[in-house]
Amino acid sequence: MGEKLSISGHTQTIALIGSPVEHSMSPAMHNASFEKLGLDYAYVVFDVQPENLEAVVKGMKAMGIPGFNVTMPLKTPILPYLDELSDAAKLMGAVNTVVLQDGKLVGHNTDGAGFMRNLKENGVDVIGKKVTISGAGGAGSAIFTQAALDGVKEIDVYNIRDSFYEATERRIAELAAQTGCAVTLHDLADKDDLRASVADSALFINATRVGMPPLENECTLDEDMLHEGLALADTVYNPRTTKLLAMGQAHGNKTVNGLGMLLWQAAIGEKIWTGQEMPVDYIEELFFTE
Ligand code: NAP
């Protein structure tokens, strides 16, 4: 590790707000990165309830806090308190990273960008191609919105027909109109429809809790849906190799686990705040070596 972190009168604070926050990996990752890079920053967490959000955001701005992360349940409620939003944050209707820039609080969403960057790092190119994704929750929405912005040609999104289904369908139609990407919502219960979608896709993404305990023995795809040229990506990173990825590896498909998304969303946020590149390999080795 680099020099031991020491707080002085020059130290700048980066924060995480949300609830719960105490189990977040972000303080460990960012503080280790700041130390390694010799940056005089400290990353701390604050458990913030929605009813205090407006006062907290105004306080951050008044104190000149250069940046902060936002997690559940504040990613959407924070929108009205920010001065500007990136295109991705606007389309997602959710912010996970805020930077104070020329006196204005600018909201970004680095979750989808982190996922897309990790695909690239793993040699998976989906620009101009078709992607199938299960899960239209926080992670899924961030991913398919960024994928549409980045130039993926067609995205079939599968979700349980829940009480949000129609609202999600409208949000996705708006995304298609704004980006030109042919993105549509489908019912996850329709296995034949899913099979047909995967058959001509370059990538299948799991953005649901399927694959993590207590659903570690479950998998959205059947093995006979796999084909040559299909890559598999999971957002789940604990376990690192989900049932989906293990099946893909046994079948010879390219697989990408969820850890890289976690690392790269942090790295992109750190670049927004400090202009510096987080040493991703070092952080992975430090905290995530199995
Ligand atoms: P979320 O907002 O709760 O969304 C979960 C989605 O999965 C929803 O669409 C939900 O449908 C669906 N779902 C729930 N149970 C399901 C089941 N048994 N079968 C099929 N679909 C199911 O959660 P999230 O924050 O998006 O997280 C989703 C996954 O991404 C989690 O595994 C999480 O660990 C992972 N994640 C990873 C990273 C990373 O950096 N790698 C970051 C964020 C999240 P309903 O709407 O009907 O509930």
Side-chain angles (χ1 to χ4, degrees), residues 117-219:
R117 174 65 188 262
N118 186 44
L119 279 188
K120 203 171 164 192
E121 292 291 323
N122 282 277
V124 177
D125 177 16
V126 287
I127 306 308
K129 298 179 184 166
K130 179 178 171 183
V131 167
T132 304
I133 177 168
S134 70
S141 297
I143 291 168
F144 66 68
T145 302
Q146 191 67 52
L149 280 170
D150 286 358
V152 169
K153 189 173 108 201
E154 185 178 352
I155 308 173
D156 289 347
V157 181
Y158 285 81
N159 204 79
I160 298 169
R161 193 173 269 281
D162 57 15
S163 55
F164 314 110
Y165 195 88
E166 271 148 35
T168 305
E169 206 160 32
R170 285 194 293 275
R171 197 158 47 84
I172 283 180
E174 178 66 22
L175 176 65
Q178 300 243 356
T179 60
C181 174
V183 49
T184 47
L185 184 63
H186 304 251
D187 187 348
L188 187 57
D190 189 342
K191 261 265 160 96
D192 291 338
D193 192 47
L194 177 64
R195 179 182 297 275
S197 175
V198 171
D200 59 359
S201 282
L203 173 68
F204 173 79
I205 306 162
N206 173 52
T208 73
R209 280 158 205 191
V210 172
M212 68 188 284
L215 306 176
E216 69 271 30
N217 295 319
E218 290 191 23
C219 178

Side-chain angles (χ1 to χ4, degrees), residues 16 32-33 113 132 151 176 187-188 195-196 203 211 221 231 235-236 241 248 253:
L16 166 67
S33 174
T132 304
D187 187 348
L188 187 57
R195 179 182 297 275
L203 173 68
L221 298 190
T235 58
V236 172
T241 306
N253 294 79

Side-chain angles (χ1 to χ4, degrees), residues 99-122:
V99 63
L100 184 64
Q101 215 170 357
D102 304 324
K104 288 181 175 170
L105 290 175
V106 184
H108 295 261
N109 196 312
T110 68
D111 285 331
F115 178 87
M116 294 300 287
R117 174 65 188 262
N118 186 44
L119 279 188
K120 203 171 164 192
E121 292 291 323
N122 282 277

